[in-house]
């Protein structure tokens, strides 16, 4: 969790410093009702040594200048190497006994390590609110809870007869798919090139636990994303009136 928080802080702190220097700039007076974003997404799951890259899509309805509701979808793929220390204690014990027996029979060397390269394909689905801060015309700050569902398909790629036999024992179908919920928080910044177009950079940090019949623990994932955002619909901002 601490590593994820540090990553989130590194991503957000520079824009915050920049925004504080923009305090003299005018606030936004043209806020379109709808926005659509599509861009790059990168997933980082340190505990599983898993990095993934893919696509990110968001659609939002600005209910107020400070409040919106929207849908969030992302899909990414990547690879990692699974080791026995990530498994449930009962499975670790079972595999340890099997490997010890094979070692005693001379089938595997004493220094054999069970490492299985694995491909992972992940999709996330979220729906919920987002809070926006529009005090500065060039940029919009936003934060949100990250609540939704995650689907992941993993495909082991064993590299020797021993790991192949173990994978066939644990994952007889050759791949495994699981769904679960996730929770966390996120936020970012829009650079407003025009009322209709901008560039968005954002990060979310979420906790999930998939494959709880195999893996011992849940884990934190950080999603970094950036890309263009398009705005359309009527202006929902109250017209600015100069004081007399």
């Amino acid at each position: 969790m601490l590593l994820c928080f540090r990553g989130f802080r590194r991503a957000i702190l520079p824009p915050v410093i920049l925004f504080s220097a923009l305090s003299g700039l005018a606030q936004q007076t043209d806020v379109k009702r709808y926005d659509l974003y599509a861009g790059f997404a990168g997933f980082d799951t340190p505990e599983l040594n898993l990095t993934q890259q893919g696509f990110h899509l968001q659609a939002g309805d600005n209910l107020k200048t400070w409040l919106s509701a929207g849908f969030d979808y992302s899909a990414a793929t990547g690879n990692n190497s699974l080791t026995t220390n990530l498994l449930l204690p009962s499975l670790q014990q079972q595999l340890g006994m099997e490997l010890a027996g094979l070692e005693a029979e001379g089938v595997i060397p004493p220094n054999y390590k069970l490492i299985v390269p694995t491909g992972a394909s992940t999709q996330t689905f979220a729906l919920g609110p987002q809070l926006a801060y529009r005090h500065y015309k060039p940029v919009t700050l936003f934060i949100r809870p990250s609540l939704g569902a995650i689907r992941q398909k993993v495909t082991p790629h064993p590299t020797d007869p021993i790991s192949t036999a173990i994978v066939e024992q644990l994952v007889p179908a050759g791949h495994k798919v699981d769904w679960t919920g996730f929770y966390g928080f996120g936020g970012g910044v829009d650079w407003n090139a025009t009322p209709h177009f901008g560039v968005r950079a954002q990060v979310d940090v979420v906790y999930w636990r998939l494959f709880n019949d195999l893996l011992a623990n849940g884990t934190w994932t950080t999603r970094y994303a950036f890309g263009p955002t398009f705005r359309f619909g009527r202006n929902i901002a109250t017209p600015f009136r100069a004081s007399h």
Side-chain angles (χ1 to χ4, degrees):
M1 172 60 180
L2 181 58
L3 290 176
C4 292
F5 175 76
R6 287 175 177 172
F8 181 83
R9 184 178 60 185
R10 285 195 297 268
I12 294 300
L13 187 56
V16 170
I17 295 174
L18 173 63
F19 301 150
S20 65
L22 299 176
S23 57
L25 299 180
Q27 63 185 356
Q28 298 173 32
T29 58
D30 192 348
V31 179
K32 303 304 180 184
R33 177 66 188 269
Y34 306 105
D35 64 73
L36 181 66
Y37 158 88
F40 166 84
F43 290 14
D44 184 20
T45 309
E47 186 170 344
L48 299 179
N49 191 30
L50 175 63
T51 57
Q52 299 171 281
Q53 295 182 349
F55 175 75
H56 187 201
L57 175 70
Q58 291 175 320
D61 182 352
N62 292 310
L63 307 174
K64 303 286 186 179
T65 56
W66 55 272
L67 174 66
S68 64
F71 173 75
D72 182 299
Y73 170 80
S74 59
T77 58
N79 300 280
N80 67 339
S81 295
L82 292 180
T83 53
T84 54
N85 65 298
L86 299 173
L87 301 177
L88 293 167
S90 58
L91 287 177
Q92 292 187 44
Q93 183 178 10
Q94 175 187 335
L95 292 176
M97 293 176 62
E98 293 180 7
L99 294 175
L102 293 172
E103 181 181 328
E105 296 173 5
V107 177
I108 58 175
N111 60 348
Y112 179 84
K113 300 293 184 183
L114 180 61
I115 302 174
V116 181
T118 303
S121 175
T122 304
Q123 294 175 287
T124 66
F125 307 83
L127 184 70
Q130 179 170 281
L131 302 178
Y133 184 69
R134 302 180 185 275
H135 185 72
Y136 310 120
K137 189 173 183 179
V139 292
T140 302
L141 287 168
F142 56 87
I143 58 173
R144 58 173 174 261
S146 292
L147 302 170
I150 181 172
R151 177 187 184 273
Q152 191 170 89
K153 177 181 178 180
V154 296
T155 305
H157 301 290
T159 58
D160 62 73
I162 300 302
S163 61
T164 298
I166 291 174
V167 166
E168 290 176 350
Q169 175 185 343
L170 297 179
V171 189
H175 66 271
K176 197 171 181 64
V177 177
D178 198 12
W179 283 84
T180 192
F182 66 80
Y183 63 87
F185 60 95
V189 57
D190 280 350
W191 172 63
N192 305 313
T194 74
H196 295 279
F197 175 78
V199 177
R200 178 170 299 176
Q202 56 192 321
V203 61
D204 294 87
V205 181
V206 301
Y207 178 85
W208 53 266
R209 185 174 183 183
L210 288 163
F211 309 110
N212 56 13
D213 59 334
L214 293 178
L215 299 181
N217 302 308
T219 186
W220 289 90
T221 291
T222 302
R223 181 185 67 185
Y224 304 92
F226 63 89
T229 179
F230 305 91
R231 295 79 171 260
F232 53 96
R234 66 180 180 87
N235 179 16
I236 66 167
T238 302
F240 176 75
R241 298 180 182 278
S243 58
H244 295 285

